[in-house]
Amino acid sequence: MLYNKTIAFLGAGSMAEAMISGLVKSGEIPAEQIIATNRSNQERLTALESNYGIKGVKRENLQFDQIDIFILAMKPKDVDNALNDIKSHIKPNQLILSVLAGITTSYLEQNLHKGQQVVRVMPNTSSTIGESATAISPGHETADENVKLTKILLECIGEVYKIEEKDMDIFTGLAGSGPAYFYYLMEHMEQQGVLAGLNIETTRQIIAQTIVGAAKMIQKQDKTPTVLRENVTSPNGTTAAGLDALDENGGGIAISKAVEHAAKRSKEISEQIQESLLVGSLK
Ligand SMILES: NC(=O)C1=CN([C@@H]2O[C@H](COP(=O)(O)OP(=O)(O)OC[C@H]3O[C@@H](n4cnc5c(N)ncnc54)[C@H](OP(=O)(O)O)[C@@H]3O)[C@@H](O)[C@H]2O)C=CC1
Ligand SMILES: O=C(O)[C@@H]1CCC=N1
């Protein structure tokens, strides 16, 4: 289904690169059928070409009629310019995927053609190695075969969850932004390892393996995080001391707030774009 498709990323930043890397590594789609374009950064396109074997194409040289799937991958504040730019070149039956946080399918539909095939997508940067947790929510007019095609494409970069669009904000707070919380946690754990005299590279690998192990326990065993946490925690032992410190310092609340605020920001972006306030708020 993917082999003869041509895919163009409009936006060639971090998220586009993560997806390109995962797609190329999957081997499910030939690299030369993946195109990336941006506003002006030619050096960036050249780097993507040489690193992944894809085609970096200047916007003015993009042949819209030869592209099956467009992936919008610019910042939300740039979406209006991008939609204005592409509208006159695309047809309603061309599939538009958008990875933009907070930009709704209704907004995309209002600003493209009647009947435009759109799917809102929320991947994360673990797409790079085929380990994303990606959500999809199709637009109101999107044909089932295009939803299926989207799912097949995104399964090349990890697990795919079809969700209702009202749940996209919380999904973004959990999984789109989620890797950053774990990196933040790792940064702080790493500092302590180094402070205690461990080598930084060794510390990093120890922490990474600890996180991988904990995540795989959830995936492979039918046990809740609460039960697994209790299994680690001996009465009056080391873990109890660590967890007490987390509680005393608001660790649990901080994690809840991180997810809540990220989801809230996603919702806020949706509201601001409708009121045309986004460009000012996200310079
Ligand atoms: N980073 C992440 O972890 C995730 C990001 N997202 C979403 O992905 C999107 C991109 O984020 P990210 O990659 O971090 O951003 P970056 O700033 O790294 O990249 C943005 C890219 O968009 C390009 N661009 C801007 N305007 C246009 C346009 N009109 N046409 C074509 N290209 C354009 C820029 O080109 P130039 O350099 O030439 O200006 C640049 O290549 C955001 O909407 C974000 O919400 C979603 C999930 C996770
Ligand atoms: O920070 C952001 O807005 C984007 C969306 C999800 C992850 N990064």
Side-chain angles (χ1 to χ4, degrees):
M1 205 168 182
L2 287 180
Y3 212 74
N4 52 10
K5 301 291 182 200
T6 299
I7 297 171
F9 284 84
L10 306 181
S14 315
M15 197 57 235
E17 179 168 8
M19 294 177 79
I20 289 166
S21 165
L23 287 171
V24 170
K25 281 191 188 123
S26 78
E28 296 291 328
I29 177 158
E32 59 274 16
Q33 283 165 221
I34 300 175
I35 294 166
T37 190
N38 56 13
R39 262 183 310 209
S40 55
N41 189 343
Q42 181 56 44
E43 218 175 290
R44 172 76 180 158
L45 298 182
T46 307
L48 291 174
E49 279 190 337
S50 68
N51 292 341
Y52 302 101
I54 65 155
K55 289 185 186 154
V57 175
K58 276 189 176 170
R59 161 62 194 87
E60 58 268 32
N61 297 333
L62 210 57
Q63 293 186 289
F64 283 82
D65 57 343
Q66 293 182 12
I67 293 160
D68 300 291
I69 305 173
F70 293 90
I71 302 184
L72 303 180
M74 65 288 306
K75 293 285 190 200
K77 70 178 174 61
D78 294 319
V79 68
D80 277 341
N81 280 344
L83 296 178
N84 284 336
D85 175 36
I86 65 172
K87 185 172 176 183
S88 57
H89 301 283
I90 58 169
K91 303 221 158 48
N93 65 351
Q94 282 176 299
L95 179 57
I96 315 287
L97 309 187
S98 163
V99 304
L100 282 63
I103 304 301
T104 62
T105 55
S106 299
Y107 190 81
L108 298 170
E109 286 163 352
Q110 281 160 27
N111 290 283
L112 293 171
H113 299 292
K114 189 167 169 32
Q116 189 75 55
Q117 301 291 291
V118 306
V119 182
R120 183 171 167 190
V121 170
M122 181 49 59
N124 66 34
T125 47
S126 305
S127 302
T128 309
I129 53 162
E131 294 286 355
S132 178
T134 306
I136 61 171
S137 289
H140 304 87
E141 316 245 17
T142 308
D144 288 348
E145 71 190 72
N146 279 329
V147 179
K148 195 171 159 200
L149 178 62
T150 303
K151 190 161 179 286
I152 290 172
L153 176 71
L154 297 173
E155 277 169 353
C156 298
I157 57 166
E159 296 294 322
V160 177
Y161 307 89
K162 184 164 176 276
I163 65 171
E164 288 186 48
E165 191 165 0
K166 70 174 177 51
D167 297 329
M168 263 296 178
D169 297 322
I170 186 63
F171 188 96
T172 302
L174 288 168
S177 300
Y181 314 147
F182 289 101
Y183 296 133
Y184 181 86
L185 178 72
M186 292 172 89
E187 286 175 78
H188 284 80
M189 289 176 78
E190 190 176 288
Q191 277 171 15
Q192 289 306 311
V194 171
L195 258 181
L198 290 184
N199 166 284
I200 189 162
E201 291 302 331
T202 313
T203 311
R204 198 166 287 165
Q205 293 312 318
I206 292 167
I207 297 165
Q209 178 54 34
T210 304
I211 292 182
V212 168
K216 284 192 177 165
M217 286 287 279
I218 292 288
Q219 287 182 329
K220 295 189 174 179
Q221 297 217 313
D222 192 17
K223 291 191 174 144
T224 65
T226 304
V227 167
L228 292 172
R229 173 175 55 73
E230 284 168 358
N231 287 347
V232 188
T233 313
S234 312
N236 205 23
T238 61
T239 315
L243 289 171
D244 283 350
L246 270 177
D247 276 345
E248 280 160 21
N249 290 282
I253 294 169
I255 294 163
S256 302
K257 286 276 173 207
V259 176
E260 184 193 331
H261 282 229
K264 197 167 142 229
R265 180 63 189 138
S266 169
K267 189 162 187 286
E268 203 174 71
I269 292 173
S270 309
E271 290 161 1
Q272 288 181 337
I273 191 91
Q274 284 294 348
E275 293 161 18
S276 304
L277 292 173
L278 191 62
V279 175
S281 83
L282 263 187
K283 289 233 167 68

